Amino acid sequence: YLSIHFSADNMGLPQLLRVDNLISRPLDLAPFILYIVAAGFFYNRFYLKTPDFFSYSVLISIIPHLCAQVHMALGSTQIYDTHYNIAHYQKIVAYIVPAIGLIMNYIRNYETEKSEHHKTREEQGVLVESQNIISHEFRTPLTVILGNAPLLTNVNKLPEPEEIAEIAEDIYHSGKHLTTILDDVLDITRIEAGKMRFNPREIYVPDLIEDMKSQVQVISEEKNLILDSNSDECNIWADPTRIKQILYNLLGNAIKFTDFGKVFIRARKRSKFIQFEIEDVGMGINAKDQKIIFEKYRQADSSSTRRKEGTGLGLVITKKLVELHGGEISVDSELGKGSKFTFTIPAFMPEIHNK
């Protein structure tokens, strides 16, 4: 600015001789052309590949540069005068704009790196937590199996028949629990690798619900819970194995976290989808935990003293299986009053699915 001010007030600076020409300063057209060439080069090399605040601002700054050069080429013959302050002020603006863009880039990059760092730390925390959960879930049934198996190895010192039956039952349940954990880990691996088998077909919903009720009847009766169901007469387009897995996971959770009362399962026709609802009157989920329960290895209670067993994969698998069908899943819950999981599955449409 000082150099422009000095030059504008200095009458001893040289002047061009072609005063009567339309273009009084033809040399000022050279930077005009160079700015256009630079703009094209910058647009292709930087703006299209890495659009950011700086590349935006550089392209914007070329506009006042071009205006200044045109003004100088068509203006008075004097290189610097008071009139030319306008052109040079335009150039000052043209330099300030990229500087602002660069500062904004630094700020955004700093915020992005800070956010990524926080996310990385959070992911590391989740990874450690998941390892603890998986370790705990494997260790518990293995402890039962390895602790009881030696009691049956010595034929001369076998326990009483009643005790043998109890030991066998403990080993059986622990083995089933280990199988469930392994199935969950394998399922999530297959889904994330895109190798989950998916063979949809027409399924009559009332029969599906009755079948699921019979599958969970035993575990619900053990807790004296009532299973209540209601369904519209409708068909869905789904993989039989996977839709049963979805319902079993949600019904199993509802029964697991409900100590008394009822568990409801409903199915309603909603345009091109069938809406399923699994509702319980159990412990419920607080608002904060509702945001993470569909994330891998995340649980509403992941502490070492949590009341219920589980790897934290059940709801993740359920969500991915629902999405694999083209549906959506959500939860509505209040702590101490129960939870309602709602998901949608495409309705069977003969004109589409029979083809």
Side-chain angles (χ1 to χ4, degrees), residues 8 151 155 242 255 308:
L151 300 176
V155 293
R242 301 309 167 195
I255 293 169
K308 308 296 181 181

Side-chain angles (χ1 to χ4, degrees), residues 336-351:
K337 293 188 177 181
S339 305
K340 180 169 73 174
F341 285 83
T342 304
F343 69 93
T344 55
I345 297 293
F348 174 71
M349 296 181 183
E351 67 277 9

Side-chain angles (χ1 to χ4, degrees), residues 321-332:
L321 289 177
V322 169
E323 291 172 348
L324 193 63
H325 283 84
E328 297 178 346
I329 187 169
S330 61
V331 60
D332 181 21

Side-chain angles (χ1 to χ4, degrees), residues 18 22 38 48 78 86 93-94 109 139 155 160 246 251 261-262 267 270 285 310 322:
R18 284 175 267 184
L22 174 65
L48 292 180
Q78 204 165 355
I86 298 172
V93 171
N109 290 343
R139 191 183 297 113
V155 293
E160 295 297 322
I246 292 168
L251 284 170
K262 288 185 177 182
R270 297 285 186 268
I285 309 166
V322 169

Side-chain angles (χ1 to χ4, degrees), residues 157-170:
K157 295 183 179 180
L158 289 175
E160 295 297 322
E162 294 81 4
E163 190 176 348
I164 292 175
E166 290 178 5
I167 292 171
E169 186 175 0
D170 288 342

